[in-house]
Amino acid sequence: MSENRMAKDVLKKDDLIVITGAGGFIAGALTRYFHDQGFTRIRAVDKKPLPKWYQRVEGVESLCMDLSEYANCVRAVEGAVEVYNLAADMGGMGFIERFRVECLRSILINTHMIEAAYRAGVERYFFSSSACAYNVTLQQDPNVRALKESDAYPAMAERGYGWEKLMSEMFCQEYWAERQLKTAIARFHNVYGPFGTWDGGREKAPAAICRKVIEAKDTGKHEIVIWGDGNQTRSFMYIDDCVKGIDMIMHCDALIATPINLGSSELISINTLVSLAEEIGGVKLERHYDLNAPRGVAGRNSDNTFILQVLGWEPKTPIREGLAKTYAWIEQQYFARKAGKHTVRD
Ligand code: NAD
């Protein structure tokens, strides 16, 4: 294994970095990450109107554009050296099980973005795939075997969202094979942290659970509704690990056009996640289980053998530590909203 290369080792400070989906959670954090490293030309793009962006980073060119239109993709990548394409219509299980058409339509963003990036002659192109691309038949038991990269085929991905990701991965692989565009493909496993969606229907389990605990404490109604029986298992990756992983994967030549897991391998059940949030909040709640709610696959974990082998690194922030930071941020958002102030939500 050679020394890992990162953007700071490869790019000049004034090389143009384009980040899409930057009004959202992960790409917003990525924008801040590159900005904080001293990159002076960053173009952030999202279809959300600017006041609705989760983070607006000073000194960054921020554009509101719909990237399902090819002409906008051409404009977005103009002059770019690297493109990080994270724009997608997505949310937690409540969203992706209900709005499959919206999820599938993200194929428009991904087909247009990669073509525009190729034509603009960008040096590297990053695509954010998902663990939902994996074969669902391997995820029917809470005591799952962790998913390794080869488990995506034979394909039986999550309907809608997962199939779209799988197809867009293939574009990345074929643009490299036929047209020599250097692509990077990371399969994210549940990302959480401050500046993520925490309310409104698109939020994921860690944020939703923190919000419910905070709400229960505030209202004095010491109850919580949990989706499913709470025995579903998942691993959760803290946002700081995610952005660092994106940087490393993007700049590793051994990973060109090669899908790789980017996730934590610390498996926990939703019930344990609730207990952790209760501990952080210093409260104990009566649990009610909604067995009709969307619950996703029974279990899912990230097999990190490959990333450890290639990068000698894996996302390591313990859930207890990351959840405490996330809880504190959501609590501040919750009370800001109550006081009528601007908050991060869809
Ligand atoms: P997010 O919803 O916070 O951010 C996505 C952003 O894309 C949104 O701000 C949205 O407005 C924007 N967008 C949607 N359609 C667009 C369009 N047509 N043109 C321009 N912008 C558009 O989601 P996120 O959690 O930050 O996810 C980022 C990427 O990572 C997505 O590709 C997602 O599928 C992938 N991913 C996320 C997770 C996770 O746990 N958060 C897990 C696996 C994969």
Side-chain angles (χ1 to χ4, degrees):
M1 197 192 64
S2 58
E3 193 68 4
N4 290 329
R5 290 189 319 159
M6 315 276 278
K8 64 177 169 45
D9 308 312
V10 175
L11 295 178
K12 295 197 287 294
K13 285 291 186 234
D14 62 352
D15 278 345
L16 179 64
I17 299 173
V18 170
I19 303 174
T20 74
F25 172 40
I26 303 173
L30 190 65
T31 304
R32 179 159 309 278
Y33 169 85
F34 284 133
H35 172 267
D36 290 352
Q37 289 190 15
F39 289 101
T40 55
R41 290 180 65 220
I42 302 172
R43 181 179 298 146
V45 187
D46 201 290
K47 77 169 177 191
K48 276 195 286 208
L50 296 174
K52 290 206 155 179
W53 288 31
Y54 295 172
Q55 302 198 55
R56 284 282 301 283
V57 183
E58 220 172 292
V60 165
E61 179 188 4
S62 301
L63 303 179
C64 172
M65 288 197 299
D66 183 346
L67 297 170
S68 59
E69 305 277 345
Y70 182 63
N72 289 337
C73 296
V74 171
R75 164 71 189 93
V77 302
E78 218 169 55
V81 175
E82 291 191 347
V83 172
Y84 296 79
N85 180 21
L86 285 88
D89 215 344
M90 65 91 63
M93 278 327 295
F95 182 84
I96 67 178
E97 284 196 359
R98 197 161 153 230
F99 297 110
R100 292 191 172 131
V101 172
E102 273 75 4
C103 293
L104 283 166
R105 284 178 58 83
S106 289
I107 197 86
L108 293 172
I109 304 173
N110 296 322
T111 49
H112 291 330
M113 276 299 298
I114 196 165
E115 175 69 14
Y118 165 71
R119 285 182 185 248
V122 310
E123 276 171 26
R124 285 175 193 264
Y125 175 91
F126 178 90
F127 172 60
S128 51
S129 187
S130 164
C132 290
Y134 283 116
N135 190 320
V136 288
T137 60
L138 301 172
Q139 306 171 61
Q140 287 165 343
D141 187 326
N143 303 309
V144 278
R145 165 175 76 67
L147 293 161
K148 56 181 186 305
E149 285 75 3
S150 55
D151 289 332
Y153 293 95
M156 185 63 79
E158 174 87 36
R159 282 189 73 80
Y161 181 70
W163 277 100
E164 190 282 318
K165 291 292 190 194
L166 214 48
M167 194 62 210
S168 294
E169 284 188 359
M170 198 179 287
F171 273 102
C172 292
Q173 293 175 308
E174 299 308 329
Y175 268 76
W176 165 242
E178 277 179 29
R179 303 189 184 182
Q180 293 76 54
L181 172 64
K182 287 182 182 166
T183 57
I185 308 156
R187 291 187 183 139
F188 299 167
H189 290 246
N190 295 305
V191 190
Y192 73 101
F195 294 96
T197 315
W198 61 279
D199 197 8
R202 288 180 185 245
E203 66 279 18
K204 300 193 159 200
I209 289 168
C210 287
R211 187 200 69 231
K212 288 178 185 181
V213 170
I214 292 161
E215 213 162 28
K217 262 182 83 175
D218 181 43
T219 58
K221 197 162 174 252
H222 286 182
E223 296 175 14
I224 185 165
V225 177
I226 298 169
W227 286 9
D229 61 11
N231 293 324
Q232 318 90 289
T233 53
R234 295 287 186 279
S235 71
F236 298 98
M237 166 168 57
Y238 191 59
I239 184 67
D240 291 4
D241 289 331
C242 182
V243 292
K244 184 173 176 195
I246 292 172
D247 189 354
M248 284 197 277
I249 291 168
M250 178 71 147
H251 300 102
C252 176
D253 282 342
L255 289 174
I256 294 175
T258 307
I260 185 166
N261 280 332
L262 183 55
S264 160
S265 55
E266 184 186 359
L267 189 70
I268 69 162
S269 71
I270 296 298
N271 276 325
T272 309
L273 194 62
V274 173
S275 303
L276 280 181
E278 285 176 337
E279 251 175 60
I280 294 164
V283 69
K284 203 88 197 116
L285 306 176
E286 195 183 311
R287 299 181 184 194
H288 303 287
Y289 294 95
D290 180 355
L291 301 179
N292 295 319
R295 47 173 308 189
V297 292
R300 176 182 290 155
N301 196 5
S302 177
D303 182 325
N304 286 349
T305 311
F306 185 47
I307 194 166
L308 279 167
Q309 180 199 324
V310 185
L311 299 178
W313 174 90
E314 66 176 322
K316 271 217 244 354
T317 307
I319 181 74
R320 186 178 289 274
E321 187 185 317
L323 199 68
K325 291 184 188 162
T326 309
Y327 184 100
W329 179 80
I330 294 176
E331 193 170 44
Q332 170 259 314
Q333 289 281 301
Y334 176 90
F335 286 108
R337 186 171 78 195
K338 223 179 144 181
K341 294 193 193 127
H342 177 72
T343 59
V344 164
R345 66 179 297 210
D346 278 338

